[in-house]
Amino acid sequence: MPAPRRAALAGAALLVLAGCSGTRDADAPGPDRSPADPTSSAAEPSPSPDQSSTPSSPSPGPESPTGSAPGAERPVGPDDLDPGVAVRAVRHLAGRIGPREATGRAYARAAAWVGDELAGLGYDVARQRVDVPAGESWGVPVPAGRSVNVVATPPGFDPAEAHLVVGAHLDTVPQAPGAEDNASGVGTLLAVATAAAERRTRLPVVFVAFGAEEPRGAPEDHHYGSRRYVALLGLQQRAAVRGMVSLDRVGVGGRVPVGSADDTDPVQQALLAAARRAAVPVAAEGGQRSSDHWSFVRAGLPGARLGSTPYAGYHSPGDVPAVVSPAQLERTGRIVLAWLAPR
């Protein structure tokens, strides 16, 4: 990293740390904040769209050549991924923190850590409160309570302008350390965010670590964090989302599953094309609705999922860092960076 860039990032990190790392305590009460204003103590009203108009349908169509990463010395590309960032995150989240039920203290610790990591890269970091009900998560009773989404945006980000969203859920079922499900996704998100922090993307990118993705009962009793994120978007902000990719269980296997909620999706097709450019083997899947991209798709926004290779430790105490393949983390991250790259 060039010395001026390191100094700039260090200065940004110090400023953020002086303000409690730019994030709100997961257990502290306070107003919800949309990604529109991640730096103020209370959110200002979102721009008021013309209520008589209908937002245009989001599409991955013509895009601005200017990304808005914190630093934009050169265009980002798949070779910029450092898989070591993802590996270290998996070891920290699943090896040191362990099970991260969405309303528990361990989840709050994980959210604070992820927020600090993103703030240290120069992003503006906000926390969205997510209220979740009591229920049963994979056979274990879980209490009602509060979770959070950790939302990182580039400095000067305008949510009403065209942008992309990269997300990964941070919570686990109560009995699992959650290395593959889903420290692998969060770690890959951090690795991608690290590369994008120093380089230009085709559009500004919002990075979100979602809370309360894991089930709490019936089929609809899940995805609370991403549903909350989408619900807080105004009409102009929804129209500005050009694509969302969910990184969920991306550390096992040799091919990267590329899932679409229906038979196909524009984002799925764009990710498959990105995989070809990045020389990564993939497997296309349809009918994939079991991750946070579904919250976007069901609201009419384009979204797809990377990940979901079956493995023996799913939702169990055996989901430990040793099951995660650094090579698979790298393959997934390369696809995302190829998708974000100017072209």
Side-chain angles (χ1 to χ4, degrees):
M1 182 188 302
R5 179 63 191 147
R6 286 198 300 267
L9 282 179
L14 287 173
L15 288 174
V16 172
L17 287 171
C20 299
S21 301
T23 61
R24 185 185 300 277
D25 182 4
D27 296 322
D32 292 332
R33 292 191 291 172
S34 105
D37 184 7
T39 58
S40 65
S41 58
E44 296 178 2
S46 300
S48 299
D50 181 358
Q51 297 299 326
S52 65
S53 65
T54 301
S56 59
S57 298
S59 71
E63 297 163 349
S64 165
T66 304
S68 61
E73 287 82 0
R74 63 179 179 83
V76 76
D79 291 341
D80 295 316
L81 189 89
D82 178 0
V85 174
V87 171
R88 288 189 293 272
V90 169
R91 291 173 178 168
H92 182 81
L93 291 170
R96 297 188 62 184
I97 296 180
R100 303 174 297 282
E101 191 279 315
T103 63
R105 292 182 179 274
Y107 182 86
R109 286 174 56 204
W113 181 80
V114 170
D116 287 347
E117 292 293 302
L118 290 165
L121 293 170
Y123 294 95
D124 293 329
V125 178
R127 300 164 78 93
Q128 292 177 338
R129 186 178 68 202
V130 180
D131 293 323
V132 293
E136 185 175 284
S137 185
W138 219 249
V140 178
V142 288
R146 177 180 299 175
S147 190
V148 293
N149 294 330
V150 180
V151 183
T153 56
F157 173 69
D158 181 352
E161 297 295 330
H163 62 275
L164 303 169
V165 179
V166 177
H169 76 86
L170 182 57
D171 64 312
T172 70
V173 295
Q175 65 270 42
E180 166 68 344
D181 191 13
N182 186 40
S184 66
V186 175
T188 302
L189 179 149
L190 290 174
V192 170
T194 299
E198 300 177 0
R199 300 169 182 88
R200 181 165 52 88
T201 54
R202 62 186 170 95
L203 286 175
V205 185
V206 179
F207 294 97
V208 189
F210 292 112
E213 186 271 351
E214 293 291 2
R216 303 180 83 82
E220 293 302 313
D221 289 341
H222 61 164
H223 302 161
Y224 283 94
S226 53
R227 285 159 62 184
R228 178 65 171 164
Y229 181 91
V230 171
L232 289 174
L233 296 176
L235 291 178
Q236 291 180 342
Q237 296 167 358
R238 291 187 182 214
V241 177
R242 292 295 188 264
M244 184 273 178
V245 59
S246 176
L247 307 177
D248 193 349
R249 292 174 45 211
V250 299
V252 169
R255 293 179 176 270
V256 179
V258 184
S260 174
D262 296 308
D263 291 337
T264 188
D265 177 274
V267 178
Q268 182 196 42
Q269 294 305 308
L271 290 170
L272 292 171
R276 290 191 292 271
R277 295 193 298 273
V280 174
V282 295
E285 296 181 348
Q288 176 57 264
R289 300 184 177 187
S290 57
S291 190
D292 287 309
H293 69 294
W294 175 232
S295 297
F296 289 74
V297 174
R298 70 193 301 184
L301 305 178
R305 171 183 179 173
L306 292 179
S308 75
T309 300
Y311 77 110
Y314 181 63
H315 282 185
S316 80
D319 189 10
V320 296
V323 308
V324 171
S325 163
Q328 187 74 339
L329 298 176
E330 182 174 11
R331 284 187 281 265
T332 305
R334 286 178 59 84
I335 294 174
V336 180
L337 287 179
W339 180 62
L340 298 180
R343 59 183 190 274

